């Protein structure tokens, strides 16, 4: 008879040791994107390649596979949402998926990702897509091989999407994004026809970077990010990474002529950090202590950035603090003027600087292009022209150069093909989950206006973060909201906020 509890502890010990090794790899990657000297790039690629191979060996250890096989159907799996059943189910699923991939391919992908990000950063600074193209061609080739090897779902893209959004299918994402695109196009057209616009110049005054750091840190702390268990640093492309249960690293960037860029990037990354800090530390490295999907992770960052940070209630509380830090820049600005400025709607070239209404159109461009690259319907050399054409079609603007166009995002350079749709899924989940939290807590706007953000954080900790992977993303959303994922909640939110500002229908 199988001693299920003993085997389960062996599985957990193996996973925790693997998580320690994974955190070392994550630390190398964080350092590469923050403080590593440029000349160290080649050796860093060697380091991460070695670690990736070691991690692959652990994830596909035949002994681990045997233990998991013996645990399937044991008494530990009786309740499918329990911590034990979740650990066995999700680790076995991950084992079977990784076991399909040869170690050679895993190591080649790891090396290509490091060198690709370094090449992208140089090409972006020089506005030289041609210099980056060979590296991107290699990455696309390797990701295509990975997708073909995994052979998940009905199309190549399914296997890569599953890396970021487990159990999701390309056909379902395509459908929901198509529904969203149609309603967004109508809303954006109505706003453009309104002839109204805020004075966004107030955000482009000279804002000293040290003062921006102070404001961003205050905002992140106010919504619940624990700086005793994390830190905030500078980078080219903002991100958040977890290096352990009590070591969460946020990054942001600063421009003296755009204080909104750094502030909302900081709130966004703090939202990711609050999720990581809300995971159950005793299950770190195991499914019950891991984020359920990047779509749900993104829902947390977008919720704090947009549903909280761009709300009028947030600024009723926070605007006096911003004026105190920036008296020369904001002393003559009213709350209503500032609120409208940070909710300005207009097509822009840069995804991370776009407004709530047009943001998902940026994602649709990338979602369609990376599928075409993977399938071989689009060549890397054709990518800049295809990018510009889609921007003209969906947003009515054409990038004047590749730095503001196809080179603006880091994702493809690191091999993250399949990642982009999780941003839009995150927006959809955020709207639906925020509405549920508002009902449960009895009026979030009133709380925000009083500077009370912790009730929302606690609700998210208890209902989403602590759940880990005990439910899939779709199951979790339906469990908490009572209905499947729908774009209607996001459209309702946008119209309720933007309708009064632009004189368009609020519902």
């Amino acid at each position: 008879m199988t001693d299920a509890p003993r085997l389960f502890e062996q599985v957990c010990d193996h996973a925790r040791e693997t998580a320690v090794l994974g955190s070392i790899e994550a630390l190398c990657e964080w350092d590469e994107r923050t403080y590593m000297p440029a000349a160290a790039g080649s050796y860093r690629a060697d380091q991460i390649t070695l670690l990736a191979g070691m991690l692959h060996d652990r994830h596909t250890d035949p002994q681990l596979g045997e233990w998991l096989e013996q645990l399937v159907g044991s008494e530990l799996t009786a309740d499918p949402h329990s911590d034990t059943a979740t650990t066995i189910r999700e680790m076995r699923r991950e084992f079977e998926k990784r076991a399909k991939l040869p170690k050679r391919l895993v190591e080649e992908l790891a090396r290509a990702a490091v060198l690709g990000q370094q090449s992208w950063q140089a090409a972006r600074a020089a506005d030289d897509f041609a210099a980056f193209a060979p590296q991107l061609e290699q990455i696309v080739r390797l990701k295509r091989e990975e997708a073909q090897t995994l052979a998940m779902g009905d199309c190549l893209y399914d296997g890569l999407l599953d890396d970021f959004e487990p159990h999701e299918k390309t056909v379902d994402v395509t459908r929901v994004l198509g529904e969203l695109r149609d309603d967004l196009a109508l809303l954006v057209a109505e706003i453009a026809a309104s002839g109204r616009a805020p004075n966004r110049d107030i955000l482009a005054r000279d804002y000293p970077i040290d003062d921006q750091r102070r404001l961003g840190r205050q905002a992140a702390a106010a919504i619940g990010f624990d700086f005793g268990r994390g830190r905030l640093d500078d980078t080219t492309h903002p991100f958040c990474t977890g290096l352990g249960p009590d070591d969460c690293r946020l990054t942001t960037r600063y421009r003296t002529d755009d204080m909104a860029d750094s502030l909302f990037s900081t709130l966004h990354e703090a939202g990711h950090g609050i999720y990581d800090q809300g995971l159950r530390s005793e299950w770190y490295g195991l499914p019950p202590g891991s984020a359920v999907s990047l779509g749900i992770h993104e829902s947390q960052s977008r919720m704090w950035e947009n549903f909280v940070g761009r709300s009028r209630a947030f600024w009723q509380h926070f605007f006096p603090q911003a004026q105190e830090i920036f008296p020369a820049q904001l002393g003559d600005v009213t709350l209503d003027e500032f609120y409208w400025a940070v909710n300005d709607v207009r097509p822009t070239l840069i995804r991370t600087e776009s407004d709530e209404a047009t943001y998902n159109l940026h994602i649709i461009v990338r979602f369609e292009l990376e599928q075409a690259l993977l399938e071989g319907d689009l060549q890397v050399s054709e990518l800049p022209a295809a990018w510009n054409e889609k921007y003209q079609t969906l947003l009515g603007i054409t990038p004047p150069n590749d730095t503001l166009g196809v080179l603006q995002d880091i994702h493809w350079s690191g091999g993250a093909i399949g990642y982009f749709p999780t941003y839009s899924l995150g927006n959809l989940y955020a709207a639906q989950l925020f509405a549920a939290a508002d009902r449960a807590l009895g009026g979030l706007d009133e709380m925000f206006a009083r500077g009370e953000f912790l009730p929302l954080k606690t609700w998210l900790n208890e209902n989403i973060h602590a759940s880990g992977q005990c439910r899939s993303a779709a199951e979790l959303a339906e469990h908490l909201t009572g209905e499947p994922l729908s774009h209607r909640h996001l459209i309702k939110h946008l119209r309720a906020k933007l309708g009064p500002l632009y004189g368009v229908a609020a519902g």
Side-chain angles (χ1 to χ4, degrees):
M1 174 179 273
T2 300
D3 184 354
R6 179 183 59 80
L7 284 180
F8 184 77
E9 284 306 311
Q10 290 176 325
V11 166
C12 291
D13 288 344
H14 186 281
R16 290 189 176 102
E17 289 178 1
T18 303
V20 171
L21 187 62
S23 69
I24 296 170
E25 180 185 43
L27 179 58
C28 287
E29 293 170 344
W30 172 84
D31 176 72
E32 177 198 355
R33 293 168 64 182
T34 51
Y35 297 114
M36 185 191 78
S42 178
Y43 195 68
R44 181 56 48 88
D46 293 341
Q47 292 170 322
I48 291 179
T49 299
L50 176 64
L51 288 167
M54 295 169 66
L55 281 164
H56 183 71
D57 287 342
R58 291 192 62 84
H59 283 301
T60 60
D61 185 343
Q63 180 65 76
L64 175 63
E66 291 177 14
W67 289 337
L68 291 167
E69 187 65 32
Q70 291 180 62
L71 286 169
V72 172
S74 71
E75 67 271 19
L76 299 179
T77 63
D79 176 1
H81 301 306
S82 68
D83 292 333
T84 54
T86 296
T87 298
I88 295 164
R89 177 186 65 249
E90 296 302 321
M91 284 193 63
R92 184 168 183 251
R93 183 177 188 272
E94 190 69 8
F95 174 86
E96 292 177 344
K97 180 178 177 180
R98 289 176 182 265
K100 294 179 181 179
L101 299 174
K103 184 177 180 179
R104 181 267 315 163
L105 177 58
V106 172
E107 291 177 333
E108 285 187 31
L109 280 165
R111 181 178 298 278
V114 176
L115 297 178
Q117 289 178 67
Q118 294 165 10
S119 173
W120 163 80
Q121 190 160 349
R124 182 176 183 269
D127 186 27
D128 187 0
F129 179 81
F132 172 56
Q135 197 69 41
L136 182 57
E137 287 171 351
Q138 181 188 19
I139 289 168
V140 170
R141 176 182 60 78
L142 291 171
K143 296 303 289 188
R144 185 180 297 123
E145 181 183 351
E146 178 186 359
Q148 291 169 338
T149 304
L150 291 172
M152 297 178 67
D154 298 323
C155 64
L156 278 180
Y157 194 79
D158 278 343
L160 303 187
L161 176 64
D162 189 79
D163 285 343
F164 307 105
E165 202 65 20
H167 308 285
E168 192 56 86
K169 298 298 180 186
T170 307
V171 63
D172 295 324
V173 175
T174 301
R175 174 186 52 77
V176 73
L177 291 192
E179 294 168 349
L180 177 62
R181 177 184 56 208
D182 293 343
D183 283 351
L184 281 179
L186 178 61
L187 173 59
V188 171
E190 290 176 14
I191 289 173
S194 74
R196 298 187 183 186
N199 176 17
R200 202 178 187 283
D201 290 343
I202 61 179
L203 302 177
R205 297 171 178 177
D206 185 18
Y207 290 88
I209 288 176
D210 284 345
D211 291 332
Q212 289 191 56
R213 287 195 177 98
R214 179 182 166 197
L215 180 67
R217 190 178 178 92
Q218 284 185 11
I223 66 174
F225 182 76
D226 183 355
F227 279 97
R229 301 171 59 208
R231 57 180 290 135
L232 176 63
D233 293 278
D234 300 358
T235 192
T236 303
H237 193 103
F239 67 97
C240 168
T241 192
L243 305 181
D246 297 304
D247 189 354
C248 182
R249 308 294 177 95
L250 311 182
T251 66
T252 193
R253 62 187 175 200
Y254 300 94
R255 288 172 47 187
T256 57
D257 63 347
D258 188 355
M259 64 89 74
D261 184 27
S262 68
L263 176 62
F264 290 107
S265 292
T266 298
L267 285 172
H268 180 99
E269 301 307 335
H272 282 303
I274 288 170
Y275 191 166
D276 284 353
Q277 291 180 339
L279 295 168
R280 288 179 286 163
S281 58
E282 69 271 23
W283 286 97
Y284 183 79
L286 290 153
S290 301
V292 61
S293 78
L294 275 182
I296 295 295
H297 221 309
E298 193 64 22
S299 78
Q300 305 303 279
S301 60
R302 299 295 282 181
M303 188 181 296
W304 287 110
E305 175 192 357
N306 292 327
F307 290 78
V308 180
R310 294 185 195 270
S311 70
R312 193 178 191 281
F314 177 87
W315 288 106
Q316 280 180 260
H317 169 73
F318 213 73
F319 190 56
Q321 297 180 49
Q323 287 181 308
E324 181 181 346
I325 294 174
F326 299 110
Q329 296 83 357
L330 297 176
D332 63 343
V333 178
T334 68
L335 169 62
D336 286 339
E337 288 172 331
F338 187 86
Y339 169 64
W340 193 1
V342 299
N343 285 289
D344 178 32
V345 174
R346 70 181 75 181
T348 56
L349 293 170
I350 305 299
R351 172 185 64 86
T352 57
E353 299 173 8
S354 62
D355 57 83
E356 283 187 87
T358 60
Y359 180 90
N360 292 292
L361 300 177
H362 293 259
I363 298 304
I364 289 167
V365 168
R366 292 152 175 79
F367 178 52
E368 293 177 351
L369 288 176
E370 65 182 11
Q371 289 184 75
L373 283 172
L374 191 68
E375 295 286 352
D377 298 329
L378 178 70
Q379 301 304 308
V380 167
S381 61
E382 301 168 330
L383 188 56
W387 178 286
N388 292 351
E389 181 181 350
K390 283 188 178 292
Y391 260 74
Q392 184 60 47
T393 299
L394 281 180
L395 289 145
I397 51 179
T398 299
N401 55 56
D402 290 336
T403 293
L404 296 176
V406 70
L407 284 173
Q408 67 180 268
D409 293 305
I410 194 173
H411 302 63
W412 291 337
S413 71
I417 296 174
Y419 190 124
F420 277 119
T422 68
Y423 288 118
S424 285
L425 291 174
N427 286 329
L428 298 177
Y429 281 129
Q432 201 157 321
L433 292 167
F434 187 82
D438 188 50
R439 291 192 300 270
L441 295 173
L444 288 171
D445 276 352
E446 293 81 2
M447 295 179 185
F448 299 161
R450 296 192 297 267
E452 298 172 5
F453 305 106
L454 295 187
L456 174 59
K457 174 185 176 291
T458 299
W459 189 89
L460 297 171
N461 287 157
E462 293 174 349
N463 291 282
I464 297 175
H465 311 161
S467 178
Q469 297 178 355
C470 292
R471 285 182 167 86
S472 70
E475 290 171 342
L476 180 63
E478 187 163 2
H479 173 70
L480 293 175
T481 69
E483 60 178 305
L485 181 65
S486 168
H487 78 290
R488 293 182 296 103
H489 296 275
L490 181 58
I491 295 298
K492 181 179 179 181
H493 158 76
L494 291 173
R495 284 196 171 274
K497 175 191 284 189
L498 301 173
L501 295 176
Y502 290 94
V504 301

